[in-house]
Amino acid sequence: MNRIVMAAVTASLAMGTGLAAQAEEGHKLSFVVNAASDFWKLAEAGIKKANAELPDYDMELRYPAQGTAAAQNALMDDLVAAGTDALMISSVDPKTSTDAFNRIAAQIPLFTTDSDAPQSNRIAYLGSSNTEAGEQAGKEMVQALPDGGKCMGFVGYLGADNARERIEGFRKAVEGSKVELVDVRGDDVDFARARSNVDDVLAANPEITCMVGFYSYNSPKIYEALQAAGKLGSITVVGFDEDPVTLGAVKEGSFVSTVVQQPFEWGYQGMKLMAAYLGGDKSQIPADGLIIIPTKVVNQANVDEFQADLKAKIDSASAG
């Protein structure tokens, strides 16, 4: 596999800082997310940092009116009509959006992040390996439950590639152990439903002894439900992403750990990548179109260090 691991190419991408002088006045770069979530505030901070380094570009993060493929596709059309020169998107449903993505890709450079659309004509995917992230979560659960347990997973879009790959990675990691992922409940990024899914499992499935929050907001909803039911600490939880509630749960020991991505880098490096591409530098696009920014496990031992680094990045972007 020829994919690039972003930790190894940060220096190369930094060359994009010199592209401001080459940029045509008014080049517009857009970053379209899958739904309104605090998770994306970090990507927005990364975009602000990139924009401070490339002030001749107009960079923006846009939320669709709804967390649906139709709303995303309509937003992409609107952005192209308004003059966007390159676009990066986290696809809600890649399988049903291929034609829409190809329509956009025929007009401007199209990149993906977070949830890939490999069957489309996108130029490259920049983000996590969701399969590897799922495997990390599964290994954490196996280590936490040497005697085994029955787990329930919770996620936003069951059909999205990022969800499917995380679940597959988790199942691969627990295969052969005494840990079993019994099922995964989807909520279509409806926060009330995300919470009620956990409540329903607690009421109807007493055999469940572990839970996995596969999307950024799922872990906080798990925390809320367990706290309300008086079961914090009695259900083993591994989460995803760096929501403050999730990090607080890890710090206090209510959650084993959380697998964090780097949305700040998606925004920052994604904008730099698109700017470089528009400037004629295509050397950063690997043969297989995959630019992987590694995920990491945050646990009680490193949560303080992680939070300090996160704050420094956000403060730096705000200062810029």
Side-chain angles (χ1 to χ4, degrees):
M1 181 177 287
N2 296 320
R3 71 180 184 182
I4 294 176
V5 176
M6 185 55 67
V9 301
T10 300
S12 173
L13 284 174
M15 293 172 61
T17 56
L19 289 171
Q22 305 172 23
E24 295 179 12
E25 191 69 27
H27 262 334
K28 185 174 183 179
L29 308 178
S30 297
F31 190 111
V32 176
V33 304
N34 51 14
S37 170
D38 286 347
F39 172 77
W40 292 111
K41 290 180 179 179
L42 287 167
E44 190 167 15
I47 291 169
K48 288 179 180 178
K49 180 181 178 183
N51 214 165
E53 295 178 9
L54 300 175
D56 290 349
Y57 288 84
D58 179 10
M59 303 180 183
E60 64 175 355
L61 182 144
R62 294 291 299 271
Y63 295 89
Q66 296 175 308
T68 64
Q72 277 192 318
N73 297 341
L75 178 55
M76 287 195 298
D77 286 333
D78 290 345
L79 289 170
V80 171
T84 287
D85 295 290
L87 189 150
M88 181 168 281
I89 184 169
S90 170
S91 179
V92 169
D93 190 351
K95 294 178 181 61
T96 64
S97 300
T98 300
D99 289 343
F101 279 23
N102 288 346
R103 183 178 67 251
I104 298 301
Q107 301 172 75
I108 63 171
L110 176 68
F111 298 78
T112 54
T113 187
D114 184 39
S115 181
D116 196 9
Q119 303 306 314
S120 73
N121 294 329
R122 59 93 169 116
I123 292 165
Y125 166 80
L126 183 148
S128 305
S129 166
N130 287 293
T131 301
E132 291 175 7
E135 289 182 20
Q136 285 177 308
K139 290 175 182 177
E140 286 293 296
M141 193 66 81
V142 170
Q143 184 176 348
L145 294 172
D147 294 328
K150 293 183 180 296
C151 300
M152 184 67 72
F154 303 91
V155 76
Y157 300 115
L158 284 165
D161 279 7
N162 60 351
R164 179 181 55 77
E165 290 168 2
R166 290 175 199 178
I167 294 165
E168 287 177 357
F170 187 94
R171 290 190 188 280
K172 179 181 177 181
V174 303
E175 186 176 355
S177 75
K178 296 179 181 180
V179 173
E180 176 189 0
L181 183 62
V182 176
D183 197 7
V184 181
R185 304 287 173 88
D187 54 58
D188 296 325
V189 194
D190 179 331
F191 293 172
R193 184 176 162 196
R195 166 62 191 272
S196 67
N197 277 350
V198 185
D199 290 333
D200 291 347
V201 167
L202 290 173
N205 302 88
E207 74 280 8
I208 295 300
T209 59
C210 46
M211 294 182 173
V212 190
F214 284 105
Y215 272 13
S216 62
Y217 62 86
N218 287 121
S219 299
K221 295 304 177 185
I222 291 172
Y223 185 89
E224 290 176 11
L226 293 181
Q227 186 177 50
K231 293 188 176 182
L232 277 176
S234 63
I235 301 288
T236 303
V237 181
V238 172
F240 269 78
D241 301 317
E242 54 276 83
D243 185 278
V245 172
T246 302
L247 294 177
V250 170
K251 188 170 184 175
E252 72 185 23
S254 298
F255 287 4
V256 171
S257 57
T258 185
V259 177
V260 298
Q261 305 177 85
Q262 298 193 61
F264 180 93
E265 296 298 331
W266 300 351
Y268 176 66
Q269 303 291 358
M271 288 295 171
K272 300 287 284 293
L273 179 69
M274 289 195 289
Y277 191 90
L278 286 175
D281 179 7
K282 301 180 182 180
S283 66
Q284 298 165 25
I285 308 300
D288 65 359
L290 298 175
I291 303 173
I292 301 301
I293 299 178
T295 53
K296 65 181 293 184
V297 172
V298 175
N299 53 32
Q300 266 192 313
N302 63 3
V303 65
D304 288 337
E305 178 185 357
F306 176 78
Q307 286 180 306
D309 178 66
L310 206 62
K311 184 177 184 301
K313 286 180 176 177
I314 294 173
D315 289 348
S316 175
S318 299

